[in-house]
């Protein structure tokens, strides 16, 4: 996907610290994926909505097939 929004369900949110900069590995499945294939994206802490938990439905902002922002859906 060049640019757009995809809906997914968060399965795991794992913090990753690289040289003191905190990012998150976002584990999710696409809402429209019947096979529930797990996906993973690394996103900076400033681009993740606060208070997200596994099981939450999220909007994944996509640019050049990379997740750039994660927001709660709804």
């Amino acid at each position: 996907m060049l640019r757009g929004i995809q809906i997914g369900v968060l399965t795991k949110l794992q913090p990753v610290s690289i040289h003191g900069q905190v990012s998150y590995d976002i584990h999710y499945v696409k809402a429209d994926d019947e096979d529930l294939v797990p996906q993973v994206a690394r996103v900076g802490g400033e681009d993740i909505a606060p208070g997200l938990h596994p099981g939450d439905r999220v909007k994944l902002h996509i640019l050049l097939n990379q997740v750039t922002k994660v927001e709660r859906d709804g």
Side-chain angles (χ1 to χ4, degrees), residues 49-64:
L52 290 178
H53 299 287
D56 287 348
R57 195 171 159 94
V58 292
K59 287 183 188 176
L60 304 156
H61 294 255
I62 309 291
L63 180 63
L64 299 175

Side-chain angles (χ1 to χ4, degrees), residues 10 13 24 48-54 56 58 72:
L10 190 63
L13 186 64
Y24 289 86
I48 298 175
L52 290 178
H53 299 287
D56 287 348
V58 292
R72 187 177 316 279

Side-chain angles (χ1 to χ4, degrees), residues 27 49 51:
H27 298 252

